[in-house]
Amino acid sequence: MNTEQSPPPYNPYYPPQYPNATQYNAGQPTAGMMPPVVEHVNMGIPDSAPPEYTLGFENENCFSDAAIRRGFIRKVYLTLMVQLLITFGIICAFLYWETLSDWVRGTYWFTYTMMGVTFALIIVLICCGDIRRKVPLNFIFLGLFTIAEGLLLGSVVVYYSAEAVLWAVGATALVSLAMSLFSLQSKWDFTAASGSIWAISWTLFSFALLCAILRSQYLYILYASLGTLVFSVYLVMDTQLLLGGKHKYSINPEEYIFAALNLYLDIITIFLLLLQLIGLCR
């Protein structure tokens, strides 16, 4: 009996060849035995992530649906309009109610108290994402902030004439409308220059300290003019963050309270600077 067996057929892929095994891992396959390609890697964040996983600012506009963005813009501007109407109503009460005006002029702690309350509410709305995203907590805190800011502005406008305040309101409306139209039509992306604008604002703050020390009317006028310019640029930048599109950064449509707060603070700051400028020039 012939016990000699015939050799197995030749297989060019067996055994696997590992060239230069001392340089590569012994278990690494060659090009002929490529491992399967992983098409999707989940880094621990679920696909249907809650709002806590989303950021306020996005490098890429993940909300590419135009309908979602338009609804977000309508919601922001509706909230902003309600805020401005409440603020203007409170200002008018301080302007034309003489008893209230006299009480505020003789009560210095009221202004400082409102400053502390508004600062605390701003910190809560900016730092606590759960509060500004959850209904009705976001509207409650935003309403409290708007009322406190209106009371603070009311305690400031009592030291100006009603005519100067109305001129400042009109000038603020004109500047805000012009900057909004500019941000719609401009090809310049101000969202990419947020760091430079932040540095300029701190320079302006240092200049404000110098004005407080020197107490010169001309320096006050220069400060109010430069401040109006800087916060007008801030208004353009925040409007572009709101619009999204081709800009480098945009605000997540879930952050409509944050967007309305940004625009509101820009407009209020422009109003205060223009009021100071008009009051000094009269």
Side-chain angles (χ1 to χ4, degrees):
M1 178 182 294
N2 189 5
T3 61
E4 184 177 344
Q5 297 180 355
S6 59
Y10 174 71
N11 186 357
Y13 297 104
Y14 183 86
Q17 302 297 321
Y18 303 103
N20 197 3
T22 60
Q23 182 177 359
Y24 301 95
N25 295 330
Q28 182 177 358
T30 60
M33 299 180 60
M34 293 299 293
V37 179
V38 179
E39 297 181 355
H40 176 70
V41 178
N42 193 334
M43 302 302 293
I45 299 178
D47 296 333
S48 58
E52 287 76 11
Y53 288 105
T54 60
L55 299 176
F57 298 95
E58 301 289 345
N59 289 58
E60 297 180 0
N61 187 8
C62 59
F63 289 82
S64 58
D65 191 354
I68 296 178
R69 180 61 62 174
R70 285 195 300 268
F72 166 65
I73 294 173
R74 286 195 299 267
K75 189 181 298 185
V76 170
Y77 276 104
L78 179 61
T79 305
L80 178 63
M81 183 181 66
V82 173
Q83 285 183 274
L84 293 176
L85 288 176
I86 293 174
T87 305
F88 184 71
I90 296 175
I91 289 175
C92 289
F94 278 84
L95 274 180
Y96 297 105
W97 190 2
E98 295 183 1
T99 304
L100 182 60
S101 301
D102 295 337
W103 179 81
V104 171
R105 291 191 189 98
T107 310
Y108 296 100
W109 58 264
F110 179 77
T111 303
Y112 295 105
T113 302
M114 288 300 103
M115 288 177 61
V117 172
T118 54
F119 183 75
L121 289 173
I122 287 176
I123 294 299
V124 170
L125 287 171
I126 292 177
C127 298
C128 301
D130 293 337
I131 291 179
R132 70 170 182 264
R133 293 190 188 105
K134 291 183 179 179
V135 180
L137 283 178
N138 51 1
F139 288 105
I140 292 174
F141 276 86
L142 186 66
L144 292 175
F145 167 75
T146 304
I147 294 173
E149 185 69 25
L151 294 174
L152 176 60
L153 292 177
S155 66
V156 172
V157 300
V158 295
Y159 297 99
Y160 295 88
S161 64
E163 184 180 0
V165 174
L166 293 178
W167 274 106
V169 170
T172 303
L174 182 62
V175 171
S176 301
L177 178 61
M179 291 300 101
S180 299
L181 294 176
F182 176 77
S183 61
L184 289 172
Q185 302 297 328
S186 177
K187 296 181 180 179
W188 297 345
D189 186 8
F190 285 85
T191 64
S194 57
S196 301
I197 300 174
W198 178 254
I200 293 173
S201 64
W202 275 107
T203 304
L204 183 67
F205 177 75
S206 303
F207 184 63
L209 296 178
L210 179 63
C211 293
I213 295 173
L214 297 179
R215 294 183 178 275
S216 172
Q217 182 178 1
Y218 297 104
L219 285 180
Y220 286 154
I221 293 174
L222 179 60
Y223 164 74
S225 302
L226 293 177
T228 303
L229 177 62
V230 170
F231 280 93
S232 297
V233 176
Y234 262 117
L235 182 59
V236 173
M237 184 183 71
D238 289 333
T239 305
Q240 289 183 345
L241 287 172
L242 168 68
L243 297 175
K246 298 181 180 180
H247 303 113
K248 184 177 181 180
Y249 296 102
S250 61
I251 296 181
N252 192 317
E254 295 176 353
E255 297 283 359
Y256 55 92
I257 295 295
F258 182 72
L261 180 64
N262 284 342
L263 296 177
Y264 177 78
L265 290 175
D266 293 337
I267 294 173
I268 292 302
T269 307
I270 292 173
F271 166 73
L272 288 173
L273 292 168
L274 288 175
L275 179 61
Q276 181 181 358
L277 184 61
I278 294 171
L280 291 171
C281 293
R282 288 179 61 86

